[in-house]
Amino acid sequence: MREVFQQELQEVQERLVEIATLVEISIENATRAFNESNVSLAEAVIADDDKIDGAAVALDELAINILARQQPVARDLRIVVSALRISASLERMGDMAEHIAQLARYRFPDKVVPRSLRSTFADLGKYDVQIAKKLTELLRTEDMRLAEEIRNDDDQIDALHLSVFDKVLGETWKGAAVDTVDATLASRYHERFADHAVSIAKKVQYLATGDWVSAGL
Amino acid sequence: MREVFQQELQEVQERLVEIATLVEISIENATRAFNESNVSLAEAVIADDDKIDGAAVALDELAINILARQQPVARDLRIVVSALRISASLERMGDMAEHIAQLARYRFPDKVVPRSLRSTFADLGKYDVQIAKKLTELLRTEDMRLAEEIRNDDDQIDALHLSVFDKVLGETWKGAAVDTVDATLASRYHERFADHAVSIAKKVQYLATGDWVSAGL
């Protein structure tokens, strides 16, 4: 029984890594579509979100199935419950990538943000992609240094997010209202993407240390 | 054992109703603070968010505890897992109320949105409060008509949310960039608040019908 359970936990972990990999591809494509105004890439991201949603639902069914059959307790139970939560966060990360792609599609053939914000959004995209890659690795290897790195990368994202508002609200901002709306939403989506990654990283970290309650496990 | 379990499920339900009631109070106060530029009310909402977070963590601990001790299967298991998810959505609804209150506090003594948008935000606030009240009732009574009503109210919210963008991107918009940013974020927070309520309502509905997978249960 115990051995079967360990195999099933491994299956859960592999599925989480698969979903994280899909999210990683989505955010890479979404931020590229956004920054390069690539409408076909944007549409691919939007279409692929169904795959992420489907994979998350399938994982949830597996996790509930394990709870029903294996009746885990203590740490094992926390692992399965945390998998349900991590899958919900990954699903939301996919949604954020989709939202970024939708902005790229709406504004095509124009770029979403005016010239003065392009390097900031290039950096936001770069950090989101980096965070997504580290998250996949963290879920695969449980190397806790990656959890720390994700938190640090998120600090960079937060600073960039604030700098978008500084620019948009600054005296030199010449954007029309549509530019202001798009920059506001786009920046929020990039920031929320990273927030979900941090929340997953905390869950992985606390699963390792046993401090479940602080991690909402 | 079965009787104890039923008592514990009732306890879970009561706690969900309590958290929903806290969320209801927060969104009432947040939207009032926002529309009337009431900074002390805004600060109360911000301070109260810790209560919602604490209550959600406590409920999660109870649910995990029930999973460990009672080892429920089938529908009973789905109910406990759905409680974990509903608590996560309620916690996010509290965050949205807090974000609305934060905007009111930042802009005090000014109002957050210019005159031309005030009636739209009054309506957004009205529907969010209405949705929150119906959600508490739905969790208390499991009266499925309320779930339908919440979906319909959410359609109103979506239409109002789009009308904010129509105004902000229209030719008569005279707002500064700060007004555009605030209106964009505030509208998004109101809309997300309602989205979470719909997602909870769906879970309650599907728990009743048994179609778990569609509801992400």
Side-chain angles (χ1 to χ4, degrees):
Chain A
M1 190 72 166
R2 179 80 200 163
E3 201 178 316
V4 173
F5 180 68
Q6 288 305 327
Q7 276 171 11
E8 292 196 314
L9 278 193
Q10 204 179 324
E11 162 94 19
V12 166
Q13 184 182 15
E14 281 163 15
R15 297 256 206 123
L16 285 175
V17 171
E18 278 170 31
I19 302 171
T21 306
L22 293 175
V23 168
E24 186 185 313
I25 294 166
S26 272
I27 194 71
E28 270 194 291
N29 288 339
T31 53
R32 208 177 126 203
F34 184 93
N35 291 312
E36 298 174 7
S37 191
N38 182 332
V39 73
S40 58
L41 203 53
E43 280 165 359
V45 172
I46 294 162
D48 283 352
D49 193 52
D50 282 349
K51 286 190 208 157
I52 295 174
D53 294 351
V57 169
L59 170 60
D60 292 351
E61 283 306 299
L62 174 62
I64 291 173
N65 207 292
I66 293 172
L67 288 176
R69 282 182 298 99
Q70 303 281 356
Q71 312 264 328
V73 295
R75 181 165 189 272
D76 292 341
L77 172 59
R78 303 275 172 174
I79 292 173
V80 180
V81 170
S82 72
L84 285 167
R85 292 184 165 162
I86 290 171
S87 109
S89 291
L90 287 171
E91 193 269 323
R92 283 303 291 162
M93 291 173 78
D95 288 344
M96 294 303 110
E98 187 187 16
H99 289 345
I100 292 168
Q102 280 165 337
L103 284 174
R105 192 180 58 170
Y106 291 148
R107 299 305 167 217
F108 180 80
D110 294 327
K111 293 202 176 171
V112 184
V113 294
R115 196 167 300 273
S116 63
L117 278 176
R118 291 205 188 133
S119 76
T120 308
F121 275 97
D123 286 343
L124 278 165
K126 192 187 73 183
Y127 279 109
D128 269 355
V129 169
Q130 195 165 301
I131 282 173
K133 285 183 190 293
K134 286 177 184 171
L135 187 60
T136 309
E137 273 309 284
L138 173 65
L139 290 168
R140 201 174 59 78
T141 63
E142 293 172 32
D143 175 349
M144 292 307 151
R145 281 171 304 183
L146 291 164
E148 271 312 310
E149 285 183 34
I150 288 170
R151 282 172 194 242
N152 293 337
D153 289 343
D154 180 55
D155 290 341
Q156 301 296 321
I157 291 268
D158 287 343
L160 288 163
H161 180 53
L162 288 178
S163 82
V164 170
F165 291 117
D166 284 344
K167 281 215 171 135
V168 166
L169 303 179
E171 286 179 10
T172 57
W173 177 248
K174 302 252 182 313
V178 64
D179 299 313
T180 308
V181 169
D182 286 352
T184 302
L185 289 177
S187 190
R188 169 108 183 131
Y189 301 148
H190 282 84
E191 184 235 356
R192 288 296 300 153
F193 183 91
D195 282 350
H196 285 292
V198 168
S199 125
I200 294 172
K202 276 189 198 164
K203 286 181 173 48
V204 176
Q205 256 181 331
Y206 285 111
L207 266 180
T209 61
D211 181 5
W212 333 104
V213 178
S214 323
L217 294 176
Chain B
M1 189 71 167
R2 180 77 200 167
E3 200 179 316
V4 173
F5 179 66
Q6 288 305 327
Q7 277 171 11
E8 292 194 314
L9 278 194
Q10 204 179 323
E11 161 93 19
V12 165
Q13 184 182 15
E14 281 162 16
R15 298 255 206 125
L16 285 175
V17 172
E18 278 170 31
I19 302 171
T21 307
L22 292 175
V23 169
E24 187 185 313
I25 294 166
S26 272
I27 195 69
E28 271 194 288
N29 288 339
T31 54
R32 208 177 127 205
F34 183 91
N35 292 312
E36 299 175 6
S37 190
N38 182 333
V39 72
S40 57
L41 203 54
E43 280 166 357
V45 172
I46 295 163
D48 282 353
D49 193 53
D50 282 349
K51 286 189 207 156
I52 296 174
D53 294 351
V57 168
L59 170 61
D60 292 351
E61 282 307 299
L62 174 62
I64 291 173
N65 207 293
I66 293 172
L67 288 176
R69 282 183 296 101
Q70 304 281 357
Q71 313 262 331
V73 295
R75 181 166 189 271
D76 292 341
L77 173 58
R78 302 275 173 174
I79 291 174
V80 180
V81 170
S82 72
L84 285 167
R85 289 179 169 166
I86 291 171
S87 109
S89 292
L90 287 171
E91 193 269 323
R92 281 305 291 162
M93 290 173 79
D95 288 345
M96 294 302 112
E98 186 186 16
H99 289 347
I100 291 168
Q102 279 164 336
L103 284 175
R105 191 180 59 170
Y106 288 149
R107 299 307 166 215
F108 180 81
D110 293 327
K111 292 202 177 171
V112 182
V113 293
R115 199 166 296 274
S116 63
L117 278 176
R118 291 203 190 136
S119 75
T120 309
F121 275 97
D123 286 344
L124 278 165
K126 192 187 73 184
Y127 279 108
D128 268 355
V129 169
Q130 195 165 300
I131 282 172
K133 285 182 189 296
K134 286 175 183 172
L135 187 62
T136 309
E137 272 308 283
L138 172 66
L139 291 168
R140 202 173 58 78
T141 63
E142 292 173 34
D143 175 351
M144 291 308 150
R145 284 171 304 183
L146 291 165
E148 272 312 311
E149 285 183 33
I150 288 169
R151 280 173 195 242
N152 293 337
D153 289 343
D154 180 55
D155 290 342
Q156 300 297 319
I157 291 268
D158 288 344
L160 288 163
H161 179 54
L162 288 178
S163 83
V164 169
F165 291 117
D166 285 344
K167 282 216 170 130
V168 166
L169 303 179
E171 285 179 10
T172 59
W173 177 250
K174 303 252 182 312
V178 64
D179 299 313
T180 308
V181 168
D182 286 352
T184 303
L185 289 176
S187 190
R188 169 106 183 133
Y189 299 149
H190 282 85
E191 184 235 355
R192 289 296 300 152
F193 183 91
D195 282 349
H196 285 292
V198 168
S199 125
I200 294 172
K202 275 189 199 164
K203 287 181 173 50
V204 175
Q205 257 182 330
Y206 285 111
L207 265 181
T209 61
D211 182 7
W212 333 104
V213 178
S214 322
L217 292 176

